[in-house]
Amino acid sequence: MSAVVEPHGHDHDAAHGHGAHPHHPGGIMRWITTTNHKDIGTLYLWFSLTMFFIGGILALGIRAELFQPGLQFWRPEFFNELTTMHGLIMVFGAIMPAFVGFANWQIPMMIGAPDMAFARMNNWSFWLLPVAAILLVASFFVPGGAPAAGWTIYAPLSIQMGPGMDLGIFALHIMGASSIMGSINIITTILNMRAPGMTLMKMPMFVWTWMITAYLLIAVMPVLAGAITMVLTDRHFGTSFFNAAGGGDPVMFQHIFWFFGHPEVYIMILPAFGIVSQVIPAFARKPLFGYASMVYAASSIAVLSFIVWAHHMFTVGMPTLGLLFFMYATLLIAVPTGVKVFNWLATMWQGSMTFETPMLFAVGFIFVFTMGGFTGLILAIYPVDIQMQDSYYVVAHFHYVLVAGSLFTIFAGTYFWLPKWTGHMYSETIGKWHFWLSIIFFNVTFFPMHFLGIAGMPRRVPDYALQFADFNQIASIGAFGFGLSQLLFLAAVVLCIRGGEKAPANPWEGANTLEWTHLPSPAPYHSFATAPKLK
């Protein structure tokens, strides 16, 4: 089961626990040429953090403009570029690469593998990302500016943009190729390189959720590629897929985009579920409640994600039967998601819990993510959604899911595994300050947006009527507070890397996966030259 395919050529060490060549290049060449899963995981995480701060700066540009009514800082066109680029950078540059970074670091250590299955493809899948990021950010500096059609790049707007849209399309293509290669690597590693005795139903939940996520990525990334390629041919080669003037259908773009876009939402939350399913048992000092039901719930969420896409499109004029189908299918996803929340709560029930920073972020995630889930149920009811469509209620909902969902678990996972990665304990004081400021300012930012949306404030507008001024002011103050709080995260990570209290092999009493039980802290450059024996 743990046999590794022998690669062609001289890369012998990639196949055999890297034992043949213990020396690796130092300096910059180590990072450019590395095939080590830990190095590549580190590169992904630093890339993600960089893009997170770039996307965050764009978000603060949006909130600065909306601090009061009237146009303060930006032309409306540039405001649209800010909202579009903030979304694209956060989704494709910050959240997704962060989870791939966790996968690279953790999956081989959690299943007892020496490395990822395709070590060189792993290197290539990372180095595509900075190229794509440069293309994306460079679009600000071409004539006509960056893409400004929203992160969903809806036609016909995306057909009418300047050359910045072409750069954005190429960047998305390259990021998609990176995701597909990373996913093939993850699936192959998990299915072929587990330690003897580790059956599928003994794998840690993080490994399970990533395997499901990787299948989703392989299924839907080509759909996005098809949609944006059709936009490209509409723009330059005289086709009319989405151009109504030539007989095309702009609504078709929405169908194709959301057939990718809704599974994409679960691509950004399933690994988060996996991280929380590792953190909570460790700090409750109990095994995860209902392991098998968690596996089935994650799998059913993935399957259902393919049949709910048009709930983003309740106002395009679908027939009533279509509205009903997508409403009920969307409501159905609440069932497996509820199973997960119930199991996390049951894991904590009567556990001997302590609240170190990873556990704080995990519990904070459950609380705030559940709120985001409930607003999703409200938006799934199509008569209600017709009122809420494209309003700030939607903005509030998806930030509760993606910031409180994905981002908070990225923080939880980072604090949880930092001792294993660096060999040092992070500062608990800084971590707790980071958590409390983040969760308070997060709610100050996004909770008022529910009321703005119910009152009728449309999203993606640089100016608004006077009755929306107070809540927008509160949200903008919260956004700047939230943004500044993330500097504490940067400080915690950098201080932990540079030194601090030495970490024992297993600083968390309840953590029992292989990286805690079989490896020292910091984890050695090559973890498992020979596969560990599982009981």
Side-chain angles (χ1 to χ4, degrees):
M1 186 179 286
S2 63
V4 184
V5 178
E6 179 85 352
H8 297 296
H10 57 269
D11 197 11
H12 209 77
D13 52 327
H16 294 288
H18 299 267
H21 304 287
H23 302 295
H24 49 83
I28 189 78
M29 287 312 289
R30 167 185 169 181
W31 298 101
I32 292 173
T33 61
T34 183
T35 54
N36 181 278
H37 72 96
K38 299 183 182 72
D39 281 354
I40 293 170
T42 303
L43 287 169
Y44 268 107
L45 291 167
W46 278 112
F47 171 81
S48 159
L49 191 63
T50 307
M51 297 304 280
F52 172 60
F53 279 110
I54 293 172
I57 288 165
L58 300 184
L60 296 184
I62 294 167
R63 288 316 317 174
E65 178 61 64
L66 294 172
F67 184 69
Q68 59 191 57
L71 294 177
Q72 328 297 326
F73 301 106
W74 320 121
R75 292 176 293 106
E77 298 86 351
F78 184 71
F79 182 86
N80 290 345
E81 293 173 29
L82 286 179
T83 54
T84 301
M85 294 293 285
H86 164 71
L88 288 173
I89 286 171
M90 286 304 199
V91 169
F92 296 104
I95 300 294
M96 288 172 67
F99 284 133
V100 180
F102 280 113
N104 265 295
W105 252 104
Q106 293 307 130
I107 288 174
M109 293 201 293
M110 286 177 146
I111 64 173
D115 207 309
M116 298 295 273
F118 306 116
R120 294 191 172 190
M121 187 166 84
N122 207 12
N123 172 290
W124 177 227
S125 70
F126 170 75
W127 282 109
L128 285 176
L129 282 182
V131 175
I134 289 164
L135 276 180
L136 198 55
V137 175
S139 67
F140 273 117
F141 305 103
V142 299
W151 84 274
T152 53
I153 50 181
Y154 272 4
L157 278 174
S158 49
I159 295 169
Q160 298 158 2
M161 299 269 136
M165 178 57 72
D166 298 320
L167 289 179
I169 287 171
F170 289 133
L172 288 179
H173 267 304
I174 294 168
M175 286 171 166
S178 164
S179 292
I180 290 169
M181 286 196 284
S183 300
I184 291 169
N185 213 346
I186 285 165
I187 291 168
T188 310
T189 304
I190 293 170
L191 292 183
N192 294 325
M193 296 174 67
R194 300 190 305 283
M198 180 174 282
T199 60
L200 286 175
M201 292 308 279
K202 285 183 183 171
M203 295 194 309
M205 268 312 296
F206 179 73
V207 180
W208 254 116
T209 54
W210 239 116
M211 185 164 77
I212 294 165
T213 302
Y215 276 112
L216 279 179
L217 276 164
I218 290 172
V220 301
M221 273 300 168
V223 178
L224 175 67
I228 58 180
T229 303
M230 286 192 272
V231 168
L232 202 65
T233 61
D234 273 12
R235 288 168 56 79
H236 298 293
F237 301 113
T239 57
S240 290
F241 291 112
F242 310 127
N243 187 351
D249 184 4
V251 174
M252 183 170 75
F253 178 87
Q254 296 188 27
H255 278 292
I256 300 169
F257 179 87
W258 285 116
F259 189 79
F260 146 81
H262 205 80
E264 166 68 17
V265 174
Y266 295 102
I267 285 163
M268 290 188 285
I269 205 66
L270 282 170
F273 290 168
I275 290 173
V276 171
S277 300
Q278 300 303 136
V279 171
I280 286 177
F283 292 94
R285 290 158 182 80
K286 279 175 63 187
L288 183 67
F289 181 89
Y291 172 90
S293 65
M294 289 293 256
V295 172
Y296 299 135
S299 307
S300 50
I301 286 171
V303 172
L304 288 171
S305 74
F306 284 101
I307 60 165
V308 296
W309 77 88
H311 68 206
H312 299 267
M313 302 167 51
F314 281 150
T315 54
V316 302
M318 276 189 290
T320 307
L321 192 63
L323 294 171
L324 286 169
F325 170 81
F326 285 108
M327 178 171 85
Y328 291 134
T330 305
L331 293 171
L332 197 58
I333 283 197
V335 177
T337 311
V339 167
K340 289 191 162 305
V341 174
F342 171 80
N343 285 2
W344 291 322
L345 295 175
T347 305
M348 291 190 282
W349 182 255
Q350 294 189 332
S352 55
M353 286 197 291
T354 53
F355 290 95
E356 287 88 346
T357 308
M359 185 62 160
L360 284 176
F361 271 108
V363 174
F365 154 84
I366 293 174
F367 173 64
V368 197
F369 174 79
T370 304
M371 289 172 61
F374 275 122
T375 55
L377 285 176
I378 291 165
L379 289 170
I381 299 164
Y382 79 82
V384 180
D385 182 79
I386 286 167
Q387 168 67 19
M388 305 292 194
Q389 175 87 11
D390 267 335
S391 76
Y392 259 74
Y393 193 90
V394 178
V395 178
H397 157 68
F398 71 68
H399 283 89
Y400 265 77
V401 175
L402 281 181
V403 181
S406 302
L407 185 64
F408 279 16
T409 54
I410 289 167
F411 292 150
T414 303
Y415 287 116
F416 184 57
W417 282 303
L418 261 178
K420 183 57 62 181
W421 297 344
T422 64
H424 302 123
M425 297 303 290
Y426 60 88
S427 161
E428 201 64 67
T429 310
I430 297 177
K432 286 183 170 165
W433 270 102
H434 175 223
F435 168 74
W436 285 111
L437 288 174
S438 290
I439 199 155
I440 290 165
F441 280 125
F442 167 79
N443 282 292
V444 170
T445 306
F446 294 107
F447 197 71
M449 292 184 188
H450 294 101
F451 302 112
L452 288 169
I454 292 167
M457 180 173 168
R459 61 179 176 167
R460 298 180 186 163
V461 288
D463 189 12
Y464 51 84
L466 200 56
Q467 70 261 32
F468 303 133
D470 293 349
F471 278 158
N472 267 300
Q473 209 155 60
I474 293 167
S476 288
I477 292 166
F480 277 87
F482 184 78
L484 291 171
S485 306
Q486 304 323 308
L487 297 174
L488 286 172
F489 177 64
L490 185 62
V493 171
V494 170
L495 290 172
C496 183
I497 292 168
R498 296 186 63 165
E501 183 191 335
K502 290 293 288 178
N506 187 358
W508 322 120
E509 296 163 36
N512 60 3
T513 44
L514 289 180
E515 79 273 25
W516 299 115
T517 56
H518 284 64
L519 294 173
S521 297
Y525 193 68
H526 302 302
S527 310
F528 293 109
T530 54
K533 294 286 183 285
L534 273 75
K535 296 187 180 73

